[in-house]
Amino acid sequence: MVYIALRALYDGKNNGALRLSVREAAERTGLDKDTVNRALAQLVALGFVEVAEPGGYARKVRHATLWRLTDLRCDRTGAAPTYAFQRWRPDPTTQSTVPKILRDGPHHGDSLAQDAPVSGRGVPKIRTPETA
């Protein structure tokens, strides 16, 4: 949702000058500010967006961060698209939270799989009156 909100600011000639603060993104998406902040950090880490100019307080004047979409030419600097997201790879030291699927049997602790006999690739047999 945050990427879509950022992308919606692009008018064809302002990439690299997409002004969006965390608070404004929270208002546009209906998400919490902390959630938006994490989403923006993840979009940067994955290579979908880059910070063109950090926001903050300068001379007591608040200004939002300027963002650049990496799949488009930067309209501020004329730099070519980086497509940084295409080079992203998962960290091999990070353990996946997705369970591995057993091809020859059910998951341990799966009540449906424990109750039904298994045929083929872990698919429970369907019990009909004729087979019961």
Side-chain angles (χ1 to χ4, degrees), residues 99-102 105-114:
K100 292 183 180 179
I101 298 174
L102 303 175
H107 292 287
H108 296 289
D110 187 352
S111 62
L112 173 65
Q114 289 174 358

Side-chain angles (χ1 to χ4, degrees), residues 12-128:
K13 58 183 186 265
N14 65 340
N15 192 29
L18 301 170
R19 188 173 304 277
L20 185 67
S21 70
V22 171
R23 290 175 191 250
E24 184 181 350
E27 290 173 11
R28 288 175 177 255
T29 62
L31 299 171
D32 181 77
K33 290 183 302 188
D34 293 336
T35 303
V36 169
N37 197 34
R38 282 191 306 270
L40 286 168
Q42 188 171 18
L43 287 169
V44 170
L46 294 175
F48 286 96
V49 298
E50 296 173 348
V51 174
E53 182 181 305
Y57 294 95
R59 296 179 302 273
K60 297 188 181 183
V61 176
R62 184 170 51 183
H63 68 279
T65 299
L66 296 181
W67 299 96
R68 174 186 179 201
L69 303 169
T70 62
D71 65 325
L72 300 170
R73 183 181 58 81
C74 182
D75 296 313
R76 263 179 93 205
T77 65
T82 64
Y83 301 105
F85 56 89
Q86 292 180 345
R87 291 183 297 279
W88 179 85
R89 297 292 179 263
D91 183 0
T93 62
T94 305
Q95 184 177 2
S96 174
T97 58
V98 179
K100 292 183 180 179
I101 298 174
L102 303 175
R103 291 184 178 243
D104 297 328
H107 292 287
H108 296 289
D110 187 352
S111 62
L112 173 65
Q114 289 174 358
D115 295 339
V118 176
S119 67
R121 295 181 163 255
V123 179
K125 289 182 183 177
I126 298 174
R127 294 182 184 178
T128 61

